Every structure is written in C-alpha cells, then in structure tokens.
C-alpha cells in the first residue's frame, strides 16, 4: 500500500489519514463497499458508501498513474537518458499529463521533419538561431550548412530545417505545454460545423451546424451530441483557444529580442503551434472533455437507476399482469404473492365488441378464482386503452389497477434468464410475468435486466462502456444490499449482487436450498459449497431469513453482533424476541455499557435502530397512481391542461414525464420550477409522481412540451407559448431526439418543429 497515495486521497477528500488507511486496508483484504460502510463504521470513522467508493476508485487511478510512471522510467533507463533531475521530475508529477509532457522529448517517434533535419546536420544551426544573439546573421550562418550531398541545396532549405528542429523543441517543452493546456481548458471554444454536403442527411444535428460555446461551459449532453455527430460524419468539431493569445504566450517564453535570429525563432514558434502544439492539445482536450462528459452522463444514469430500483414495491400480493396489445391481443398472467406463475392466457378486448364482452367476463372470473389483489398493466402499445377497459369492468373495490413501466421487459423475455425460468412458455408470457413482478418488487425483477436496457440515461451508448458498467453495477449492488434479500425466495440474479457472493455462490445457495429445503438460520449458509468464512462475513448481514429459528436472522444485525444483543436481553432478564417487540425495554439500554473493541457507539446505535424495525425496507410505501381519464393519446392533449404524470427519465437539460399518451413529454430545465434550477436532479427524480401543465403539442411528430411551474406562461395565438419576463429560453442543442433513450419513445425524424420559443428543445 502506497502511503503517498493515502496522503493524497486524505488531502483531496478532506478526511483523516486514518480513515483512508483503514478503508484501503479493508478493500485490500477483499471487503466490499456495502459491508465496509454498514458494518465497519468504527474502523472508517462512519464513512458512507460514497466515500468508500471514491477511495476505491481513486486508489485504482493512482495505481494506474504509478504503472505509467514506472514504464516511463524503465524506457528512459533503457535509452540511457535517465538523469537524477529527470527522475525527480517524473516521481513528483501528479498527473498523467505531466508525466507525458516530461517524457515527450524521449518518446520513440516516427521519422519527423525535425529528425530529417538532424540527419542533414542542421541541429548546430538550430542551436545558434535559438540562442538569438543579436550578432548572429542567420543567412551567413545558414550558408555554412549548404551541402548537396545531404540534400541541403540552399540557405532557405538550411533555415527551414533549423526551424523544424526549433518547432519540435517548442512542442516538447513541458512548461510551455502546461501553460497552453491551461489556456485550452479555460478559454478553448468548442466549435461544430456541418460537414460539406451533409446538410440534408444530417438534419437531426442541425442545431450544431454552426455552433460555438466555451468548452468549459459546455454541458455533458452537448459534448456527447457533437461527438456523435462527428463520429457519424455529419459534423466537424474543433476545440481552439484565441490564437493570438496562444501565440503571445509562446512568444513570451521563447522570443528573447528583435534580432534577425529571433525572427527565425518566431516563425518556428508559430509553425510549432499550428502544426504540432495546437493539434496535439486539441486532441487531448477532446479526450479530456469526453471523459468529463462521460462521468457526468454516467452519474445521471446512475442516479436515475437508483431511484428506479428503489421504487416502492406493492409487496407480496396476488397479481394479475397484462402485457397489452391490439391485434395480437393482451397476454394475461396470474401470479402468486411470491411472483410465481399460476395461469396464463390471451384475451382480445380491442378487436371488436363481441370479443370485448367475452374478455371482460374472463377477467372477472380469473380475478375471483385467483383472489387477485392487484392488476399490473404494461404502459406500452394499447396500455391506456387496456387500463380504461379494466377500470370499466366494475371489479371489486380494493383491487388496485396500476400502469407499470415495461421498458426492458422484452429484453428480459428473450434472455437466457427468462428461458431458464420459463422454458415451456413463449416471450409474451415471460414479458407479462416481468410486468407483474415489477409491481410486486421492482428491485428483485429489474436486477435481471442489463441496466442499459432500462432506458433511464442519456447518450448511454456513447460513453465509455466499461466505466458505465462499473458505475451501474455499483448502484445495483448498493440498492440490493440496502434493501436486503430474503435468502429462501430470492433469485440467483438478485443473490449475486449481495456483498461477498457473486454468480457462482448465488447459484450454489439456490441449489442448496432446492436440495435441502429452506434455510432455518444464517449459520446454515456455511454449509453451502465454497461459501467460506470470508464470504459469510461479507454477506450474512444482508441476507434475511423470515420465520427462522433466530429472530435476529430476519434483521440487518450482523451475526458477529448477536452476542451483544443477547447480553442486552440477558441483562434485562428478557429474551431477544422481547427486546425486539418492546420499545420500553430498548429505552432502558445504555449503548455505552456494551462498547467492545469491535463494536463502538455507531454500531450499537445501528443495532438498537434495527431492533425497533427488524429488516425494515428503506423504500417508500407504495402509493396508488392513475393517469387522467380520457387522455390516452397525443391528440387528446390541449394547451393548458393540468395532468398527473410520472417522471421516467432525468437528463442534464430536463425531465421526461409519462402522462399516459404513449409519448413522454419534456419538461425543460427552465420549466421545472418557479426558481432557477441548474441541475434537474435537484428538483425531480425517476419514478416521482408530478403534476404538469401542457405547454405545446407537435402532432406531426408526437412531441409534447410540459411545465411544472405553478403558473406556466400560456399565450394563445400564432406565436404559441411565450416565455415570461426573465425566463430563460431553451438553449440551442438541447435536442429531444438525441437525448431520449427510452426505445418506445423514439420517433421518426421529420422537418418542422414547435412554433414557440421552446422549439430548440425538440428540434431534430
């Protein structure tokens, strides 16, 4: 473990060195982030998952930096060019860019113009010119280097070669590159232009055909948008600082006077900037801005995913689930409270009045025979029509009818996981089952789907996929362990995300319980093949056993703390179960009396809190929601309508809201609140129930503009909706089409747009 790295992290994160040291040690020993944050609070000083994850990731970054540092030092040693001064600079470098700048003059490179000039013997001339002595006559000096045998036929050829060598020196100067890098970063302009002849074909990028903004101020979604347009060949993209300022900085470093030699150096400096420095730093800035945009986009996706996974569960109830359809019918399944398939069939309520009545009778009979407590309806094609049909059947009161987001259900239904669960059923049955299970427990069902298929991000296919996978996996692991898992009913996919397990051990647990029956206590987990002491320690606290032999097994109290709870109960002359049931008993306990070397006050406070609500679910309670009746398609909408909706996606420029018309509407960031909002995540989150006002409707493209302001500006007439005084208009490039990732909301690209100031948010 590198102490310098620990000190760096402590300084960067403003936390105690001991906290970093202990966390790093636990990670090195194989402890997981959820375990460290939940069960090692005394060791880490109560660092939460965010800090533990940040320490883990920063350690990995610093390790990669050290590996590169080591390879550079090795290369310099092999070249026999490593001096004490050079080694010191490399060892003190804090960033990869610094290391690369130092190494640049020594990096093996292709045959450059400067290299060819050196082969012609022109480096001495370059040295004389670079010294810029007023007494030096460049023409006279160059005359000495004319040598037809070395292909130097004239004075100008000699001077040109010398300038090439000087240009390379300028390019490889570490201080020079550092200052220019800062200029690019602070004042660089991101410019996008339409590629010649691509105006019609690349119409979806027309907001970027002639766009310019500071790189520093460009939001992540626009950086990713122009990069996508460039990759597809519709845009050309440049990052450039003010050229005069860049050249002025360079000349202040390298130009010593106004001599004739200095004129040659000035020409070399200008050539170096345009031919070497600017392209090199532009590429570096493009890569760096891409990394920044990736991080922001991944964070948006991760936040959305967390809210989606932590959506309130209906709980263990008997559910009828319907995957709606028009001509092909509605696939219907009945599930028991654990989500097991009891019955499946297809009904046809949307193909004519004769079958409509038959479908209604069939629904009523199944509701009665299966003792259905709730009905889940997918929100895809025919979803609202099916919802209206079900609500019009006069079913018994108390049966909840809920529209369920079916994004990714088709991905699950075609997956190997679904085929393994339902080998004798087709895709439609599997999809309907998934819809029903999402109502019972969204987290347990959604973990079976690749998070990228759920559709709650922006530009998810453009970001670095390995980093996206890592970020999303962290979120899934965090959510699963925060909720906990019932070990006797959980799927292998759900168990695999539990701290210390993984796919292999999760499969072993399922196989063991199928062979030996349900687990009666946590200790029995030690009998599972290959589940050793370390895996048990990491996982046990997150695995629940309801109605087991030990009441603590249904809680988040870790088995290593059972003796403490037993002593608390014993000191009161009561049982552990009494302690869990009676608040008055818990109030008599002084945590300070039970402090040990392993368990301090933070852990004891957690234990007492857990005893009050054993195995409590951190998710909110389920609340019923229904869309506005009679509003089922875009043509039903009118300006000024106030409607209930559910947030389906939050992006850097606003939020998408499902209002039940098969097309999510966009609430631009300027319409999210009466106050100024910089980050939409400050106001809304995925799965949040909101009230919106319709601002405008584009019937041609099926796009809807919404507002969440208390009194959104509404002005009828040819001008459409007008912004209120001081209200920010939608920024150029905040495009509807390229931002939304929910497949069901993709629409064809057509010309036209909104006849109002918000059209920029929807053009493409």
């Amino acid at each position: 473990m590198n102490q310098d790295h620990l000190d760096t992290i402590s300084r960067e994160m403003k936390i105690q060195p001991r906290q970093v040291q202990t966390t790093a040690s636990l990670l090195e020993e194989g402890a997981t982030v959820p375990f460290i944050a939940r069960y090692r609070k005394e060791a880490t000083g109560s660092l939460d998952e965010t800090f533990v994850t940040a320490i883990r990731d920063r350690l990995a970054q610093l390790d990669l930096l050290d590996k590169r540092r080591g390879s550079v030092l090795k290369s310099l040693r092999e070249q026999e060019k490593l001096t004490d001064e050079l080694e010191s600079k490399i060892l003190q470098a804090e960033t990869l860019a610094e290391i690369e700048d130092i190494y640049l003059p020594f990096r093996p490179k292709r045959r450059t113009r400067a290299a060819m000039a050196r082969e012609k013997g022109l480096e001495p001339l370059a040295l004389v010119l670079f010294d810029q002595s007023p007494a030096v006559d460049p023409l006279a000096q160059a005359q000495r280097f004319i040598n037809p045998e070395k292909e130097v036929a004239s004075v100008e050829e000699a001077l040109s070669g010398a300038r090439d060598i000087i240009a390379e020196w300028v390019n490889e100067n570490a201080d020079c590159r550092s200052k220019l890098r800062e200029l690019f970063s602070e004042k660089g302009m991101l410019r996008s232009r339409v590629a010649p002849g691509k105006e019609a074909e690349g119409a979806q990028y027309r907001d970027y055909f002639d766009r310019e903004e500071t790189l520093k101020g460009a939001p992540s979604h626009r950086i990713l948008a122009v990069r996508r347009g460039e990759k597809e060949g519709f845009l050309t993209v440049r990052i450039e600082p003010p050229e005069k300022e860049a050249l002025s900085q360079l000349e202040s470093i390298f130009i010593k006077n106004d001599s004739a030699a200095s004129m040659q150096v000035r020409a070399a400096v200008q050539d170096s900037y345009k031919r070497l420095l600017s392209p090199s730093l532009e590429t570096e800035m493009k890569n760096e801005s891409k990394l920044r945009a990736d991080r922001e986009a991944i964070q948006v996706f991760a936040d959305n995913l967390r809210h989606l996974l932590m959506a309130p569960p209906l709980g263990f109830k008997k559910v009828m689930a319907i995957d709606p359809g028009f001509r092909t019918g509605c696939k219907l399944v009945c599930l028991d409270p654990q989500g097991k398939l009891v019955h499946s069939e297809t009904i046809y309520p949307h193909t004519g009045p004769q079958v409509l009545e038959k479908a209604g009778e069939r629904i009523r009979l199944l509701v009665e025979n299966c003792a259905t407590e709730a009905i889940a309806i997918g929100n895809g094609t025919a979803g609202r029509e099916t919802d209206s049909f079900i609500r019009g059947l006069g079913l018994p009161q108390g049966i909840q009818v809920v529209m369920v987001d079916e994004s990714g259900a088709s991905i699950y239904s075609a997956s190997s996981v679904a085929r393994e669960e339902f080998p004798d059923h087709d895709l439609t049955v599997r999809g309907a089952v998934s819809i029903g299970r999402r109502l019972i427990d969204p987290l347990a069902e959604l973990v079976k789907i690749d998070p990228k298929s759920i559709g709650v991000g922006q530009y998810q296919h453009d970001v670095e996929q390995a980093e996206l996978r890592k970020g999303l996996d962290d979120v899934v692991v965090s959510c699963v362990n925060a909720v906990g898992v019932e070990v006797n009913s959980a799927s292998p996919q759900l168990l695999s995300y539990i701290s210390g397990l993984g796919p292999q051990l999760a499969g072993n647990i399922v196989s063991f319980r199928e062979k030996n029956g349900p687990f009666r206590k946590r200790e029995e987990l030690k009998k599972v093949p290959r589940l050793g002491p370390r895996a048990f320690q990491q996982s046990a606290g997150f695995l629940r056993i309801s109605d087991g032999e030990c009441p603590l097994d249904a809680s988040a109290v870790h088995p290593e703390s059972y003796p403490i709870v037993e002593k608390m109960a014993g000191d009161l002359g009561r049982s552990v179960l009494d302690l869990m049931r009676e608040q008055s008993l818990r109030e008599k306990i002084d945590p300070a009396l039970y402090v040990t070397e392993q368990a301090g006050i933070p852990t004891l406070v957690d234990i007492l809190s857990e005893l009050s609500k054993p195995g409590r679910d951190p998710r909110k309670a389920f609340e019923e929601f229904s869309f506005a009746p009679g509003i089922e398609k875009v043509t039903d909408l009118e300006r000024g309508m106030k409607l209930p909706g559910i947030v389906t996606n939050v992006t850097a420029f606003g939020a998408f809201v499902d209002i039940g018309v098969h097309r999510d509407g966009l609430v631009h960031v300027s319409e999210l609140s009466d106050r100024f909002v910089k980050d939409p995540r400050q106001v809304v989150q995925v799965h949040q129930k909101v009230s919106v006002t319709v601002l405008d409707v584009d019937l041609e493209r099926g796009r809807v503009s919404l507002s969440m302001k208390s009194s959104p500006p509404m002005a009828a007439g040819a001008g459409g909706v007008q912004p209120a005084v001081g209200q920010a208009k939608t920024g150029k490039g905040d495009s509807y089409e390229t931002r939304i990732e929910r497949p069901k909301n993709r629409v064809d690209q057509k010309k036209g747009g909104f006849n109002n100031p918000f059209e920029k948010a929807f053009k493409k």
Side-chain angles (χ1 to χ4, degrees):
M1 192 178 301
N2 190 312
Q3 186 60 47
D4 289 339
H5 291 179
L6 303 180
D7 293 340
T8 296
I9 294 172
S10 173
R11 183 173 63 255
E12 291 175 347
M13 298 186 184
K14 295 180 174 58
I15 55 180
Q16 295 297 317
R18 180 189 63 82
Q19 293 176 287
V20 181
Q21 171 79 50
T22 306
T23 302
S25 296
L26 288 167
L27 289 167
E28 195 171 58
E29 293 168 4
T32 66
V33 171
F35 177 80
I36 294 171
R38 180 68 176 82
Y39 296 113
R40 290 297 179 263
K41 291 184 176 180
E42 286 75 20
T44 68
S46 296
L47 293 180
D48 61 18
E49 284 190 13
T50 301
F51 270 106
V52 176
T53 301
I55 291 172
R56 179 201 66 187
D57 293 346
R58 187 64 175 127
L59 282 170
Q61 291 171 358
L62 292 172
D63 283 343
L64 287 175
L65 185 65
D66 273 356
K67 287 181 180 178
R68 181 55 182 160
R69 195 194 316 272
S71 65
V72 166
L73 289 171
K74 180 182 178 183
S75 174
L76 290 172
R77 289 192 188 97
E78 291 174 349
Q79 296 178 50
E80 299 182 352
K81 294 180 180 179
L82 183 62
T83 64
D84 291 343
E85 181 183 2
L86 200 54
E87 183 174 16
S88 177
K89 285 184 178 180
I90 293 171
L91 291 175
Q92 292 175 19
E94 295 183 354
T95 65
L96 187 60
E98 288 182 64
I99 293 175
E100 298 300 344
D101 283 350
I102 296 168
Y103 182 49
L104 185 58
F106 310 96
R107 182 198 299 274
K109 54 178 73 77
R110 59 182 174 80
R111 194 161 175 259
T112 63
R113 282 164 51 171
M116 289 186 283
R118 289 189 181 93
E119 292 171 2
K120 296 175 182 179
L122 296 174
E123 188 162 21
L125 175 59
L127 287 167
V128 170
L129 296 177
F130 199 55
D131 188 53
Q132 301 174 60
S133 170
V136 169
D137 179 355
L139 297 178
Q141 290 291 328
Q143 187 70 37
R144 297 166 46 205
F145 290 87
I146 294 177
N147 186 344
E149 293 182 1
K150 291 188 176 182
E151 299 181 356
V152 182
S154 66
V155 167
E156 183 49 43
E157 285 187 15
L159 290 174
S160 177
R163 290 196 298 268
D164 287 341
I165 294 172
I166 294 172
E168 187 169 273
W169 290 341
V170 171
N171 178 56
E172 294 177 347
N173 184 284
D175 291 337
C176 157
R177 294 183 70 87
S178 178
K179 289 183 179 180
L180 274 188
R181 183 178 291 110
E182 184 176 348
L183 180 65
F184 267 80
S185 179
E186 292 297 319
K187 297 186 178 182
M189 300 300 295
L190 177 65
R191 298 185 175 96
S192 59
R193 301 288 185 267
V194 61
K198 296 291 186 178
E199 290 82 359
E201 189 180 355
Q204 68 267 35
Y205 293 103
R206 61 177 173 263
D207 285 333
Y208 308 108
F209 280 1
D210 186 14
R211 181 175 179 81
E212 180 176 310
E213 64 183 316
T214 62
L215 178 65
K216 186 178 181 180
S220 63
H221 63 276
R222 287 211 286 270
I223 291 173
L224 293 173
V226 297
R227 285 186 65 93
R228 179 189 286 182
E230 182 181 37
K231 183 178 180 181
E232 293 177 356
F234 300 125
L235 301 175
T236 60
V237 180
R238 298 296 307 274
I239 297 175
E240 302 168 313
E243 185 174 298
K244 288 185 178 179
E245 188 170 348
L247 289 173
S248 177
Q249 284 195 12
L250 288 175
E251 290 178 3
S252 69
I253 297 172
F254 296 104
I255 306 302
K256 299 178 181 180
N257 50 54
D258 292 327
S259 66
S262 294
M263 296 297 290
Q264 295 293 325
V265 175
R266 179 175 282 106
V269 166
Q270 292 175 353
D271 173 56
S272 179
Y273 176 73
K274 295 176 181 178
R275 182 169 56 87
L276 302 173
L277 275 167
S278 183
S280 171
L281 290 174
E282 180 179 19
T283 298
E284 188 177 314
M285 287 298 108
K286 281 186 175 181
N287 292 336
E288 189 174 301
S289 64
K290 171 65 162 56
L291 290 176
R292 172 172 67 86
D294 281 2
R295 285 194 297 268
E296 293 178 15
I298 290 171
Q299 187 58 56
V300 168
F301 200 144
D303 290 344
N304 289 344
L305 179 63
R306 181 179 297 277
H307 292 308
L308 186 63
L309 293 177
M310 297 298 281
L314 176 66
F316 298 116
K317 293 186 177 183
K318 296 178 180 179
V319 169
M320 174 185 291
I322 302 175
D323 187 358
F326 286 116
R327 181 181 57 81
T328 57
C330 298
K331 183 58 67 175
L332 178 153
V333 298
C334 295
L335 309 176
D336 72 6
Q338 283 70 43
K340 292 183 179 179
L341 179 61
V342 175
H343 173 77
S344 69
E345 65 178 84
T346 302
I347 59 173
Y348 299 87
H350 308 304
T351 55
Q354 294 179 337
V355 289
L356 176 65
E357 183 177 347
K358 182 179 179 181
E361 292 175 356
R362 190 61 185 156
I363 291 286
R364 294 188 191 95
L365 180 62
L366 287 172
V367 165
E368 181 180 353
N369 291 345
C370 296
T372 298
E373 298 172 88
I375 298 177
I377 302 170
N379 68 340
T381 302
R384 287 306 310 281
E385 292 79 1
T386 303
D387 179 72
S388 298
F389 162 66
I390 294 295
R391 292 180 186 275
L393 292 178
L395 298 176
Q397 288 187 349
I399 295 180
Q400 297 171 289
V401 180
V402 183
M403 292 284 289
V404 176
D405 190 339
E406 62 179 40
S407 297
S410 60
I411 302 295
Y412 162 77
S413 63
S415 69
S416 58
V417 173
R419 290 195 298 271
E420 185 177 336
E421 280 193 279
F422 303 104
D424 300 324
H425 294 87
D426 64 18
L427 299 176
T428 59
V429 172
R430 299 169 191 162
V433 170
S434 182
I435 290 170
R437 287 177 172 177
R438 290 187 190 197
L439 180 61
I440 295 172
D441 189 341
L443 177 60
E445 188 62 19
L446 290 174
V447 295
K448 300 175 184 177
I449 304 171
D450 184 342
K452 291 187 295 183
S453 301
I454 298 175
V456 289
Q458 60 178 31
Y459 286 104
Q460 61 202 53
H461 302 296
D462 296 295
V463 302
E464 177 60 41
Q465 295 301 295
E467 288 301 311
L468 177 62
R469 165 59 64 185
K470 178 183 173 184
L472 299 186
D473 280 350
D474 280 346
V475 171
V476 178
V477 168
S478 174
C479 292
V480 171
N481 286 279
V483 172
V485 167
E486 176 58 50
V487 71
N488 284 321
S489 60
S491 67
Q493 292 76 32
L494 188 61
L495 285 167
S496 69
Y497 286 105
I498 286 292
S499 167
L501 296 184
Q504 181 63 55
L505 287 178
N508 291 352
I509 289 174
V510 172
S511 297
F512 186 89
R513 80 185 184 207
E514 289 176 350
K515 180 179 180 181
N516 301 284
F519 293 93
R520 300 302 303 161
K521 54 185 178 180
R522 279 171 168 164
E523 283 294 316
E524 291 180 355
L525 287 164
K526 294 180 178 179
K527 298 178 182 179
V528 174
R530 305 188 70 176
L531 201 156
R534 170 66 65 180
F536 179 80
Q537 180 194 54
Q538 296 290 309
S539 64
F542 304 104
L543 297 171
R544 311 278 188 265
I545 300 179
S546 302
D547 302 321
E549 295 179 4
C550 175
L552 291 175
D553 285 349
S555 74
V557 176
H558 197 282
E560 64 190 13
S561 296
Y562 285 7
I564 296 175
V565 181
E566 290 165 356
K567 180 168 175 45
M568 289 176 176
D571 289 347
L572 294 172
R574 304 292 289 273
S575 68
V576 169
L577 192 57
D578 291 335
L579 194 61
M580 298 172 73
R581 288 174 174 170
E582 300 180 31
Q583 175 67 24
S584 59
L585 291 177
R586 295 192 297 274
E587 290 175 350
K588 295 178 181 179
I589 295 173
D590 179 3
L593 298 176
Y594 298 93
V595 173
T596 66
E597 291 184 5
Q598 290 75 33
I601 294 297
T603 292
L604 293 167
V605 169
D606 281 350
I607 289 173
L608 290 174
S609 175
E610 185 63 26
L611 291 177
S612 66
K613 295 180 180 179
R616 65 191 181 283
D617 195 322
R619 294 173 289 185
K620 295 179 181 178
F622 184 85
E623 296 179 357
E624 285 194 60
F625 173 86
S626 59
F627 293 112
I631 307 299
E632 299 178 358
K633 49 188 178 296
V634 175
T635 52
D636 295 329
L637 298 175
E638 296 178 5
R639 292 179 182 178
M641 279 185 170
K642 294 186 181 297
L643 303 169
I646 296 179
V647 178
T648 58
N649 199 3
V650 180
T651 69
F653 58 87
F656 289 93
V657 178
D658 185 356
I659 53 176
V661 296
H662 304 305
R663 286 284 186 269
D664 290 356
L666 173 65
V667 183
H668 187 264
V669 63
S670 62
E671 289 294 324
L672 281 172
S673 174
D674 294 322
R675 61 182 176 83
F676 172 75
V677 176
K678 183 177 181 180
D679 185 347
R681 289 172 293 174
Q682 298 171 342
V683 180
V684 291
Q685 61 189 43
V686 169
H687 212 271
Q688 180 178 336
K689 298 172 178 63
V690 296
S691 177
V692 297
T693 302
V694 178
L695 288 180
D696 210 344
V697 182
D698 182 343
L699 293 177
E700 181 184 5
R701 294 183 293 178
R703 296 177 181 178
V704 183
S705 176
L706 306 172
S707 174
M708 284 174 51
K709 287 185 174 181
S710 56
S711 299
M714 298 298 298
V721 181
Q722 300 296 329
V725 176
Q727 177 182 316
K729 295 183 181 181
T730 301
K732 232 182 182 184
D734 292 342
S735 305
Y736 184 105
E737 172 62 20
T738 57
R739 227 66 62 220
I740 191 163
E741 298 290 352
R742 291 162 56 80
K744 67 174 185 172
N745 289 324
R746 305 296 290 197
V747 296
D748 293 334
Q749 306 295 345
K750 297 180 181 179
K751 292 183 179 180
F754 286 101
N755 185 26
N756 65 46
F758 299 96
E759 64 180 353
K760 302 295 187 185
F762 297 88
K763 280 186 175 179
K764 278 287 162 93

